[in-house]
Amino acid sequence: MITVLFFASLRDQLGSDKQLINIESLAQFIASNGTPTEAFNSDQLIAFLCQNNPNWQSVFSEQKLFIAVNQEIVQAPCPIADGDEVAFFPPVTGG
Amino acid sequence: MITVLFFASLRDQLGSDKQLINIESLAQFIASNGTPTEAFNSDQLIAFLCQNNPNWQSVFSEQKLFIAVNQEIVQAPCPIADGDEVAFFPPVTGG
Amino acid sequence: MSHANISIAVQPEPFDTGEMYHQLSQCTPSPGAVVTFTGLVRDLDNDKNIIALELEHYPGMTEKSLQTIAQQAASKWPIQAISLVHRIGRLEAGHPIVAVGVASAHRVAAFNACEFIMDYLKNDAPFWKKEIRTDGEQWVASKQSDVAAKHRWQD
Amino acid sequence: MSHANISIAVQPEPFDTGEMYHQLSQCTPSPGAVVTFTGLVRDLDNDKNIIALELEHYPGMTEKSLQTIAQQAASKWPIQAISLVHRIGRLEAGHPIVAVGVASAHRVAAFNACEFIMDYLKNDAPFWKKEIRTDGEQWVASKQSDVAAKHRWQD
């Protein structure tokens, strides 16, 4: 299972704050695109999310988003493994 | 009259915190050294002070001192006029 | 490894930077310098439609991220103690959002560490501000000047 | 001409930077950023012979000099208010010597102004520190690092 979280304006745009992704479903989706299934990355995860929710495609492609894997900001595309917590969010505005 | 003030370690070294200088005495001293008397500067004031207090010569020559004229720090030699308050002090160490 | 005493809080409750200063100034041994920064909700006078700000964050990651930033500062400069508190939830004009306090033997280290922490917090800590307006809600956009402020530490 | 509200005090009485922060944070309109610097008498543990510090100043010139420095800062950056207080007389370890607080709409301006004021104060304001020791008294020497800190603002 991969836990995917969305925050702030991105959550409002997607209408979702959390998706639980079954690892087999993700592996099948990737295999159907001709890629080996041992390793996933964040681009593939986004493609999978957008296949399930076609109206998300424009939301993900039209803005700069941050990705955090297991609560650390990483550069996309980054490897993702079963059990990871993956968060997508817009640039931060605290302080 | 010129008011001359000494602060901190300089005051301790000179054994004086204040000297009141009669403008005629200063003018006479400068004239005796062959300089016109219309304008004085801080170097001439130091020379006058050291003539009256011969052991001050080494105190003034052996360290970096600040000069303030009418409570503003200036670069030596700077012009000095009757009525001025002239202060000599070591580098400051506040804050 | 730095031995700075680091305290991090993310909370809906108000806080007092004056109290933070008092605690930092009583470090042992006595620090030579204490610098505090407080970020407040500016007066919203120039836009009368703004009623308040709402601060969202990413629970769990927020605290880790602030801890990492504070540790980075403590490893770059000789620091005795760092306190950092950030509010979440609804905030009215004039109320403090964030405070960072640094105690050090030396003023330049205390200033640098405090600025560094704020510059990194503004870019890396997962907080998001939303304006609550008479005519609806509006997420606040990030500022390019904050990105530039972080980059000056990376040469 | 800057319209910053400038408050200067040179006094033998103790002061509280926490209180200074409270006053600055209540500026009108509400500032977005308040930075405070406090310089304290460091613990004198590394030299057990030091009992206290004695702060001398040049009455009249001191206040003028601090006012000039604060005005320079307020003309360089957009500042709402500056508070500056410096103690004179005898000070024990752990006690505050000087505090500078700056309120501004923007954090970079507040940080810069506060650092600028301290760097200039350290070089230009007529204060002198003396160590009161078990074996006598000793004037404190000025530091070359303070001269360098001032020069970085002059490019």
Side-chain angles (χ1 to χ4, degrees):
Chain A
M1 192 78 84
I2 295 169
T3 305
V4 184
L5 303 173
F6 309 112
F7 290 96
S9 57
L10 179 64
R11 178 197 53 232
D12 292 357
Q13 289 160 358
L14 300 178
S16 169
D17 64 348
K18 188 177 191 173
Q19 298 273 308
L20 296 176
I21 306 297
N22 183 288
I23 200 75
E24 276 82 38
S25 310
L26 179 57
Q28 265 178 15
F29 166 74
I30 293 169
S32 74
N33 285 335
T35 324
T37 57
E38 293 81 35
F40 314 126
N41 72 33
S42 54
D43 286 351
Q44 292 165 324
L45 177 62
I46 292 173
F48 179 73
L49 292 166
C50 293
Q51 192 207 35
N52 295 345
N53 306 273
N55 57 323
W56 288 12
Q57 185 67 56
S58 61
V59 176
F60 273 98
S61 61
E62 280 168 7
Q63 60 188 317
K64 188 197 166 198
L65 291 172
F66 283 32
I67 306 179
V69 174
N70 298 326
Q71 306 189 346
E72 292 210 4
I73 290 175
V74 293
Q75 297 302 313
C78 62
I80 288 173
D82 195 15
D84 280 352
E85 176 177 301
V86 182
F88 294 94
F89 46 82
V92 302
T93 56
Chain B
M1 192 78 85
I2 294 169
T3 305
V4 184
L5 303 173
F6 309 112
F7 289 96
S9 56
L10 178 65
R11 179 197 53 233
D12 292 356
Q13 289 159 359
L14 300 177
S16 168
D17 64 347
K18 188 177 192 172
Q19 299 273 308
L20 297 176
I21 306 297
N22 182 288
I23 200 74
E24 276 83 37
S25 310
L26 180 56
Q28 266 178 14
F29 166 73
I30 293 168
S32 74
N33 285 334
T35 324
T37 57
E38 293 81 34
F40 313 128
N41 70 35
S42 54
D43 286 351
Q44 293 166 323
L45 177 61
I46 292 173
F48 178 73
L49 291 166
C50 293
Q51 190 207 36
N52 294 347
N53 307 271
N55 57 325
W56 288 12
Q57 186 65 57
S58 62
V59 176
F60 273 99
S61 60
E62 282 170 6
Q63 61 189 316
K64 187 197 167 198
L65 291 173
F66 282 31
I67 305 179
V69 174
N70 299 326
Q71 306 187 347
E72 292 209 6
I73 290 174
V74 294
Q75 297 301 313
C78 62
I80 287 171
D82 196 15
D84 280 351
E85 175 176 300
V86 182
F88 295 93
F89 45 82
V92 303
T93 56
Chain C
M1 188 59 204
S2 127
H3 296 299
N5 186 347
I6 295 174
S7 149
I8 306 283
V10 178
Q11 60 184 48
E13 297 80 17
F15 62 84
D16 176 13
T17 309
E19 186 50 42
M20 177 189 280
Y21 162 74
H22 291 146
Q23 285 173 13
L24 289 169
S25 70
Q26 282 151 30
C27 276
T28 306
S30 292
V34 176
V35 171
T36 69
F37 170 84
T38 312
L40 304 104
V41 184
R42 247 182 303 176
D43 240 333
L44 308 166
D45 277 0
N46 47 353
D47 188 344
K48 296 279 187 197
N49 294 324
I50 303 176
I51 301 161
L53 291 182
E54 180 96 22
L55 260 292
E56 177 179 336
H57 78 130
Y58 179 174
M61 178 172 166
T62 317
E63 295 79 358
K64 276 170 67 171
S65 148
L66 297 175
Q67 187 77 36
T68 301
I69 294 168
Q71 276 168 353
Q72 276 181 277
S75 67
K76 278 177 86 81
W77 294 283
I79 299 301
Q80 282 181 247
I82 295 172
S83 284
L84 199 168
V85 54
H86 200 297
R87 279 189 76 181
I88 50 175
R90 188 185 171 99
L91 292 166
E92 322 273 320
H95 285 239
I97 305 168
V98 61
V100 178
V102 178
S104 170
H106 302 288
R107 87 176 178 286
V108 175
F111 271 120
N112 279 336
C114 195
E115 284 191 82
F116 174 96
I117 290 169
M118 278 308 303
D119 289 343
Y120 274 67
L121 183 156
K122 286 263 181 186
N123 286 280
D124 293 352
F127 294 100
W128 300 274
K129 285 196 191 92
K130 190 166 61 176
E131 295 172 357
I132 312 297
R133 307 168 59 93
T134 52
D135 53 353
E137 301 184 345
Q138 172 76 53
W139 291 100
V140 172
S142 64
K143 286 187 290 184
Q144 193 55 39
S145 61
D146 287 328
V147 178
K150 177 182 168 183
H151 284 161
R152 69 186 159 136
W153 301 104
Q154 295 170 331
D155 50 11
Chain D
M1 190 57 204
S2 128
H3 296 299
N5 185 346
I6 295 175
S7 150
I8 306 283
V10 178
Q11 60 185 48
E13 297 80 16
F15 62 84
D16 176 14
T17 310
E19 187 49 42
M20 176 188 281
Y21 162 74
H22 291 146
Q23 287 173 13
L24 289 169
S25 70
Q26 282 151 30
C27 277
T28 306
S30 291
V34 176
V35 171
T36 68
F37 170 84
T38 312
L40 304 103
V41 184
R42 246 182 304 175
D43 240 332
L44 308 166
D45 277 0
N46 49 353
D47 188 344
K48 296 278 185 197
N49 295 323
I50 303 176
I51 301 160
L53 290 182
E54 180 96 22
L55 259 293
E56 177 178 336
H57 78 129
Y58 178 174
M61 178 172 166
T62 317
E63 294 80 356
K64 276 170 66 171
S65 147
L66 297 176
Q67 187 77 37
T68 301
I69 293 169
Q71 277 168 351
Q72 278 182 276
S75 68
K76 277 176 87 80
W77 294 283
I79 299 301
Q80 282 181 246
I82 295 172
S83 284
L84 198 167
V85 53
H86 200 297
R87 280 189 75 181
I88 50 174
R90 188 186 173 99
L91 291 168
E92 323 273 318
H95 284 239
I97 304 168
V98 60
V100 178
V102 178
S104 170
H106 302 288
R107 84 176 181 287
V108 175
F111 271 119
N112 279 336
C114 194
E115 285 191 81
F116 174 95
I117 290 168
M118 277 309 303
D119 289 343
Y120 274 67
L121 183 155
K122 286 263 181 186
N123 285 281
D124 294 352
F127 294 101
W128 300 274
K129 286 195 189 93
K130 191 165 63 174
E131 295 172 356
I132 312 298
R133 308 168 57 95
T134 51
D135 53 351
E137 300 183 346
Q138 171 76 52
W139 290 100
V140 171
S142 63
K143 285 187 290 183
Q144 193 54 39
S145 61
D146 286 328
V147 178
K150 177 182 168 184
H151 283 161
R152 70 187 158 135
W153 301 104
Q154 296 170 330
D155 49 13

